[in-house]
Amino acid sequence: MIDKTYQPGDVEARIYETWEAAGAFRAGRPERAEAEPFSVVIPPPNVTGSLHMGHALNNTLQDILCRFERMRGKDVLWQPGTDHAGIATQMVVERQMQERQEPGRRDIGREKFLEKVWAWKAESGGTIINQLKRLGASCDWSRERFTMDEGLSRAVLKVFVQLYRDGLIYKDKRLVNWDPKLLTAISDLEVQQVECSGSLKWSRDGEEQPDPAALSQALTKTLARNPNGHLYYFDYPLAGVDYDPADPATFITVATTRPETMLGDTAVAVHPENERLGHLIGRAAVLPLVGRRIPIIGDDYADPEKGTGAVKITPAHDFNDFDVGKRHDLPQISILDIEGKLALSQNEAFLDGVATSDDLYETVALHGIDRFEARRTIVERMAAKGLLRKIEPTTHTVPYGDRSNVVIEPFLTDQWYVDAKTLAEGAMAAVRDGRTTFIPKNWEKTYFEWMENIQPWCISRQLWWGHQIPAWYGPDGRVFVAESEDEAVAEALAYYVTKETLTSEEAEAIARDAGRRAAFLTRDEDVLDTWFSSGLWPFSTLGWPDEAPELARFYPTSVLVTGFDIIFFWVARMMMLGLYFQKDVPFRDVYIHALVRDEKGAKMSKSKGNVIDPLALIEQYSADALRFTLAAMAAQGRDVKLATSRVEGYRNFGTKLWNAARFAEMNGCVTVPGFDPASVKETLNKWIAHEAQRASREITDAIVAYRFNDAANAAYRFVWNIYCDWYLELAKPVLMGPDSEAKAETQAMVAWARDEIVKLLHPFMPFITEELWRVTAEGAEPRESLLVLAQWPAHEGLDNEAAESEIGWVIDLVTEIRSVRAEMNVPPATLMPLALVRPSDAARERAARWTDVIKRLARVSEIESANAAPAGAVQLLVRGEEVSLPLKGVIDLAAEGARLDKEIGKADADIKRIDAKLGNADFVARAPEEVIEEQRERREEAVERRAKLVAALERLKGAA
RNA sequence: GGGUGGUUAGCUCAGUUGGUUAGAGCGCCUGCUUUACACGCAGGAUGUCGGGGGUUCGAGUCCCUCACCACCCACCA
């Protein structure tokens, strides 16, 4: 007995266990050894994260593809796993330590800290996996991987060493995006540009706010809230002359949004062709507050239109200035420490060549203050010295760290880089020649755009949680890159022996002694960017660098399903690294889905508080309802704006399906083993076979084309509007009637169609369908196999236009009668006689065959034929046949007259519109023949319809 | 500054290569204990397809333009 109500909470957990126990998701099931492989790697979620709506969408779509292909008989591998998420995870653990008021990570040291992270991973790492299971994800969990697994770590080492040896990884000292809170370099992609503007206006020469005390107060107030955007104009006195604010020949004015960096200025640049300032090129200015002589140089970078036309150059704190500095061989003076505090005392570069002075002492005394505090102080001091000319509000963008949410500092450090430009060549070619295809196609443009302008990828992070860089430094600072410390030591010893820094005896002595070996080299402290290891995901998870049969069988993977937000972070890197190390693309297709947004279209974020928790929706409406909603809304190229009313609607859909199955059971509809739907005799059954085949085709085609919404809608329509609304209703008289042969066939067919439905719906709603499959028997026996492994409907030869035509007529007739009854306010209890007016033989036969159904569904008392339409009856046209409801006395004659008038009006409008088309010589001359023919037929039909309606109206008037 | 997408019913959204009278869900209105289902059944109303122009026999669909809304990339002294 099927339960009266479906309880998703109970069923879902049980069903999932059944699948796992049966090994249903395992790749390489023996019976599929010869099957075509289908593989997908999951975008690995953060190991300590939890499921958000983006995951729900992403994994629902992958699961639909995997379940679909599994049912189509393929050997499916959905490779699951998690990412160690370097920065994110380390931050979480550090925050926990802080909350518990424990000593910081630097206090306890690397080893102890990593123990804590691993402990946290052990504690929380299962959460997201369990949540994926709640969603129904059919991953092969026996193959679950983690980016810091032993195997994946070996892949990382091998890749790093190989790329280093091939000259594609190198160490370089240049400006990086430095996060002063996390104390690490980050890549360009991890920097968010935030627009900010200011409000403070002040001018030394004007009236705006001349009082220095008031200025100081305003500055304090303004700079207290960051970000802000102000342009500060400073006079830099020229060397060799006495500064006179009234005499432009004694100074050069520069404008900056970052006053504190002036301490690191090493030049002022003007455009070589600047008419106003060009003559100053070659002279020098004296850097205020410091006393350093800095040259005035000519460089195209200085735009005469911007600022004052003269720009201060701070090579160590600005990306553009860095380039200018390189061109002019300027010193790079870093004046900040890693935390963004002024680093002035003991700063040799800063003090180099600067004569001691009171100014300098005062400035160096600022050592250790924060960069924003420094900004205020510098401005105040410049103002006090009369060198601040003015302050203007401005709007500009400020770089923020996407994790730490603090202002990022361009900072001069040694870091490891990947030569992305070289690797990008192959990755672009692979998409250009179609070895990998993006769906929707337009994302390829985004991909190319970025690839063409790709910058060196900074891969080192000053973190502890991650893959430590396999680089060791010798006593002279020389770097040795190798897959293990032993190899590095061996390499280093050999090197130093050849260089005659060591004798071979010394080298051998070191090599023999483990302690000395370990002390001989120092390992690089840094770890790799998380995306470095995720970039290897499509092959590292398949067993590389070992010889793994899975790699040969499942690489390249069939499709990658992911959001557009990580095309650069992840997709591009996998393309580059996959092509380099496997000589083939990592995936054939890349399906890019949209972001899930809230109802108003805003990106969901914790800070906005508009996050909808997928688990809460699963609790409330079932995983199936959530999945179906996401699939139905996943139209290509558009964001998914999630409304919970949709989830509720699809929960109702599940209930509808459940009840339809209960109905089938109550009427003794049981799956007949070996039943052939092509053999049925009843028109109704031929019709549902025809419709089921059509639905199956639509759904299959849509999934293959990644048109998930079309697939979901086709399934929805078939189940609700075809199977439930009509097939079951039309079958009721047969199921309750006396014809045992027809009844038996129909019972079998109801069960067959239900089974088809359950299969077609399974990729979308795996739980309820599997449960229905379980509770419905096959013949006298329970089902032998699970639905998850059942065969996808793929039948041919069930098309049946004759059945479509006949059942279509019945449906139209019933619908028309219902419509008229409602319009005429005929009470449901009133049964009406129905007359076919001069029916064709076909219509008469059909009416006879469907008498019971028509009577029941249209609430008709009897059906007869008439030579003429009776007076005062309602006239209907059903597929060209005239039908009347002779209900004089019941209907409102005036209302019927109005209805007929309206119908005639419609017919007139149709005729007029078609005539306009057919009357157009150009249309007749140029439109395709079938379009014209269609219009002619339609006109004929409309004219006939009009004539009948007019006649009916005449009769109505006669009756009145 | 460069780019992408969007603007269709009260709301959330479909509408593949131009071709019937533009659709769905939710909401709304009317009626219904019709023996699976009120998480239901039956019927109904609602659109200048953002504005303007163009191409075409024919435009929600293609082109131009304007407006507004998102988002991405780059950068500004």
Side-chain angles (χ1 to χ4, degrees):
Chain A
M1 259 298 265
I2 301 180
D3 292 344
K4 187 159 166 48
T5 51
Y6 173 66
Q7 305 285 358
D10 304 340
V11 173
E12 289 176 357
R14 192 191 71 231
I15 292 279
Y16 202 93
E17 276 174 32
T18 312
W19 288 328
E20 289 214 276
F25 306 152
R26 298 286 281 265
R29 290 171 63 88
E31 74 275 13
R32 299 195 182 203
E34 302 301 316
E36 189 184 331
F38 178 86
S39 55
V40 175
V41 291
I42 201 170
N46 292 358
V47 64
T48 61
S50 54
L51 197 80
H52 61 239
M53 207 48 89
H55 292 126
L57 171 65
N58 177 251
N59 290 291
T60 293
L61 300 184
Q62 290 175 82
D63 197 44
I64 289 170
L65 293 173
C66 288
R67 287 179 184 271
F68 169 69
E69 297 294 0
R70 195 178 288 119
M71 290 177 78
R72 294 217 296 174
K74 292 187 186 169
D75 180 12
V76 172
L77 167 60
W78 184 5
Q79 172 63 52
T82 49
D83 190 278
H84 67 279
I87 292 182
T89 308
Q90 177 160 332
M91 269 177 76
V92 170
V93 175
E94 285 198 82
R95 197 183 314 130
Q96 285 174 350
M97 289 162 64
Q98 204 179 354
E99 277 164 11
R100 293 176 194 149
Q101 303 194 327
E102 293 171 357
R105 79 175 220 248
R106 279 162 212 283
D107 301 321
I108 62 173
R110 188 168 192 137
E111 206 173 317
K112 283 259 162 54
F113 178 72
L114 287 178
E115 275 172 26
K116 277 180 181 290
V117 187
W118 279 107
W120 169 241
K121 187 247 172 193
E123 185 187 326
S124 69
T127 304
I128 191 138
I129 299 300
N130 287 325
Q131 290 173 329
L132 284 168
K133 292 180 179 179
R134 290 284 306 275
L135 188 67
S138 63
C139 304
D140 183 350
W141 298 110
S142 69
R143 300 186 47 85
E144 185 185 338
R145 295 292 186 275
F146 174 52
T147 45
M148 282 174 61
D149 275 352
E150 189 273 333
L152 272 65
S153 298
R154 268 195 294 126
V156 167
L157 283 179
K158 180 152 181 164
V159 165
F160 186 94
V161 171
Q162 189 66 49
L163 287 174
Y164 177 78
R165 292 191 178 147
D166 295 347
L168 292 168
I169 280 183
Y170 56 91
K171 201 169 184 184
D172 197 8
K173 188 184 182 96
R174 42 181 285 175
L175 283 187
V176 289
N177 299 297
W178 182 263
D179 189 315
K181 184 178 173 191
L182 300 174
L183 306 183
T184 178
I186 57 178
S187 76
D188 300 346
L189 289 173
E190 291 162 285
V191 176
Q192 301 296 317
Q193 299 295 335
V194 177
E195 189 165 278
C196 63
S197 51
S199 56
L200 187 57
K201 208 167 173 182
W202 182 90
S203 171
R204 182 183 64 186
D205 310 317
E207 300 299 311
E208 282 142 357
Q209 198 173 343
D211 174 17
L215 169 65
S216 173
Q217 213 170 28
L219 275 174
T220 308
K221 205 175 129 198
T222 312
L223 294 177
R225 49 179 185 83
N226 284 297
N228 63 76
H230 290 101
L231 210 46
Y232 303 87
Y233 290 76
F234 292 152
D235 285 354
Y236 283 8
L238 292 174
V241 295
D242 287 330
Y243 173 63
D244 174 2
D247 179 3
T250 65
F251 60 90
I252 185 164
T253 308
V254 296
T256 180
T257 54
R258 300 204 52 198
E260 68 282 9
T261 65
M262 70 170 285
L263 301 178
D265 282 1
T266 54
V268 171
V270 298
H271 196 279
E273 282 149 38
N274 187 321
E275 289 176 14
R276 201 161 39 83
L277 299 170
H279 68 280
L280 293 173
I281 293 169
R283 294 187 62 182
V286 177
L287 186 64
L289 312 184
V290 177
R292 183 186 307 128
R293 270 177 71 101
I294 55 175
I296 297 171
I297 58 173
D299 194 286
D300 289 351
Y301 168 66
D303 183 342
E305 304 300 315
K306 283 185 183 166
T308 62
V311 57
K312 64 193 261 320
I313 300 298
T314 322
H317 292 287
D318 182 282
F319 288 98
N320 288 307
D321 292 5
F322 182 81
D323 294 338
V324 175
K326 283 273 181 195
R327 283 200 287 275
H328 296 270
D329 203 21
L330 298 173
Q332 299 159 342
I333 302 177
S334 191
I335 51 104
L336 294 174
D337 67 8
I338 56 169
E339 292 180 296
K341 294 178 176 152
L342 285 184
L344 303 177
S345 68
Q346 320 271 317
N347 184 334
E348 284 175 26
F350 173 71
L351 297 169
D352 184 38
V354 177
T356 51
S357 67
D358 290 347
D359 275 354
L360 185 63
Y361 286 132
E362 272 184 53
T363 302
V364 172
L366 300 176
H367 179 87
I369 67 171
D370 180 76
R371 52 192 166 148
F372 296 112
E373 176 69 7
R375 178 174 301 176
R376 183 182 65 84
T377 308
I378 297 290
V379 173
E380 276 179 27
R381 293 197 56 208
M382 288 297 279
K385 295 181 103 27
L387 294 168
L388 174 64
R389 189 161 277 276
K390 60 176 172 175
I391 301 174
E392 279 178 350
T394 185
T395 300
H396 66 155
T397 53
V398 175
Y400 271 73
D402 66 353
R403 290 285 174 190
S404 63
N405 205 31
V406 299
V407 176
I408 291 305
E409 206 61 54
F411 199 63
L412 197 58
T413 53
D414 281 308
Q415 301 289 343
W416 291 91
Y417 293 90
V418 168
D419 175 0
K421 201 171 170 57
T422 302
L423 291 174
E425 295 299 326
M428 280 191 282
V431 174
R432 220 175 278 124
D433 64 26
R435 274 174 289 157
T436 291
T437 308
F438 279 71
I439 297 124
K441 197 93 177 162
N442 53 311
W443 288 110
E444 288 181 3
K445 186 164 183 175
T446 306
Y447 173 82
F448 286 131
E449 191 78 19
W450 189 70
M451 283 294 205
E452 275 157 17
N453 299 302
I454 199 162
Q455 298 297 308
W457 173 19
C458 175
I459 49 170
S460 43
R461 296 288 181 276
Q462 287 63 51
L463 305 172
W464 288 347
W465 177 241
H467 300 100
Q468 194 171 355
I469 291 177
W472 286 262
Y473 300 97
D476 60 352
R478 187 181 172 83
V479 64
F480 298 92
V481 169
E483 286 183 41
S484 70
E485 186 172 65
D486 284 347
E487 277 179 44
V489 169
E491 204 181 294
L493 291 175
Y495 172 82
Y496 289 115
V497 168
T498 24
K499 287 281 159 187
E500 296 179 2
T501 316
L502 284 178
T503 64
S504 25
E505 289 73 28
E506 283 169 330
E508 274 167 37
I510 293 170
R512 267 196 306 273
D513 182 336
R516 287 188 67 187
R517 232 176 23 234
F520 184 64
L521 296 180
T522 325
R523 183 163 187 179
D524 196 310
E525 290 275 306
D526 294 351
V527 301
L528 288 163
D529 181 6
T530 296
W531 297 102
F532 191 86
S533 49
S534 7
L536 317 179
W537 192 247
F539 54 93
S540 63
T541 53
L542 294 178
W544 191 87
D546 297 332
E547 288 290 325
E550 289 87 351
L551 189 64
R553 183 158 173 80
F554 293 112
Y555 190 96
T557 62
S558 310
V559 56
L560 178 78
V561 178
T562 192
F564 65 82
D565 50 332
I566 53 174
I567 291 178
F568 306 144
F569 274 114
W570 194 44
V571 181
R573 271 87 180 253
M574 284 191 287
M575 287 293 286
M576 295 192 282
L577 294 167
L579 280 159
Y580 195 78
F581 286 93
Q582 304 303 321
K583 310 296 172 222
D584 201 350
V585 293
F587 21 73
R588 302 265 178 240
D589 288 349
V590 181
Y591 177 75
I592 301 287
H593 63 248
L595 250 45
V596 183
R597 298 175 180 277
D598 71 3
E599 280 175 272
K600 291 178 206 135
K603 196 168 170 172
M604 288 188 192
S605 73
K606 271 185 205 158
S607 54
K608 278 186 210 145
N610 60 349
V611 177
I612 304 176
D613 177 7
L615 274 304
L617 289 178
I618 289 173
E619 296 284 345
Q620 195 178 354
Y621 297 112
S622 80
D624 290 330
L626 173 62
R627 292 168 57 109
F628 204 92
T629 307
L630 292 170
M633 301 192 74
Q636 287 181 10
R638 235 224 241 210
D639 289 341
V640 175
K641 284 190 212 162
L642 191 73
T644 50
S645 61
R646 290 294 289 262
V647 187
E648 189 182 343
Y650 291 121
R651 184 273 316 266
N652 296 351
F653 176 58
T655 307
K656 183 77 181 175
L657 175 67
W658 187 260
N659 282 309
R662 282 181 61 226
F663 171 80
E665 185 186 57
M666 287 171 186
N667 284 281
C669 304
V670 178
T671 304
V672 174
F675 177 75
D676 177 12
S679 71
V680 296
K681 298 192 174 57
E682 296 291 314
T683 306
L684 179 63
N685 294 332
K686 289 179 178 173
W687 174 74
I688 197 64
H690 167 91
E691 290 289 339
Q693 177 172 280
R694 194 160 69 104
S696 161
R697 264 191 215 133
E698 283 174 7
I699 295 165
T700 305
D701 292 350
I703 298 177
V704 166
Y706 303 105
R707 300 183 65 88
F708 298 98
N709 58 322
D710 287 348
N713 287 330
Y716 186 93
R717 256 195 306 275
F718 176 62
V719 173
W720 202 314
N721 304 122
I722 304 287
Y723 183 74
C724 291
D725 286 352
W726 290 108
Y727 180 63
L728 293 185
E729 291 303 325
L730 295 175
K732 276 177 185 175
V734 187
L735 293 172
M736 292 185 284
D739 182 342
S740 58
E741 206 174 312
K743 181 173 171 177
E745 183 188 287
T746 303
Q747 283 173 324
M749 200 61 185
V750 166
W752 175 84
R754 178 207 57 214
D755 289 351
E756 294 292 286
I757 283 169
V758 151
K759 288 177 198 165
L760 291 170
L761 233 32
H762 184 259
F764 303 90
M765 306 186 114
F767 294 106
I768 193 173
T769 51
E770 186 73 76
E771 177 67 356
L772 281 173
W773 186 255
R774 186 183 72 85
V775 297
T776 54
E778 185 161 355
E781 304 294 323
R783 304 276 187 187
E784 269 182 23
S785 70
L786 293 169
L787 178 61
V788 67
L789 295 171
Q791 205 187 346
W792 185 253
H795 34 261
E796 300 282 320
L798 297 177
D799 288 316
N800 195 321
E801 293 307 322
E804 202 287 322
S805 158
E806 178 155 335
I807 304 300
W809 177 82
V810 175
I811 290 173
D812 285 357
L813 176 65
V814 169
T815 305
E816 286 290 329
I817 296 170
R818 280 172 171 171
S819 177
V820 167
R821 291 180 59 113
E823 218 168 320
M824 295 292 129
N825 289 319
V826 179
T830 308
L831 301 185
M832 303 166 83
L834 173 71
L836 307 176
V837 182
R838 289 184 304 278
S840 63
D841 291 345
R844 201 195 318 269
E845 285 162 24
R846 280 172 178 173
R849 274 198 293 275
W850 297 100
T851 299
D852 288 351
V853 160
I854 296 165
K855 282 182 178 174
R856 177 192 160 84
L857 297 181
R859 307 201 62 73
V860 161
S861 56
E862 57 194 308
I863 303 175
E864 52 200 26
S865 296
N867 287 326
V874 174
Q875 300 298 306
L876 298 174
L877 281 171
V878 179
R879 297 206 170 185
E881 298 273 350
E882 207 171 337
V883 171
S884 83
L885 292 169
L887 253 185
K888 198 172 177 182
V890 175
I891 60 159
D892 176 343
L893 292 183
E896 173 61 1
R899 190 188 70 88
L900 286 171
D901 272 336
K902 200 171 141 195
E903 290 292 318
I904 292 167
K906 270 191 201 171
D908 280 337
D910 284 353
I911 294 165
K912 206 175 155 190
R913 197 183 49 251
I914 297 166
D915 279 347
K917 274 191 180 179
L918 291 172
N920 183 334
D922 285 331
F923 175 72
V924 179
R926 301 188 197 198
E929 190 51 43
E930 60 268 24
V931 173
I932 297 169
E933 190 49 38
E934 201 183 340
Q935 293 295 326
R936 291 216 173 97
E937 278 168 22
R938 206 169 291 145
R939 181 179 192 282
E940 223 168 284
E941 191 189 304
V943 168
E944 198 181 328
R945 180 154 42 99
R946 185 182 188 284
K948 287 180 178 171
L949 289 163
V950 168
L953 187 60
E954 291 301 316
R955 277 192 303 280
L956 191 72
K957 281 176 185 160

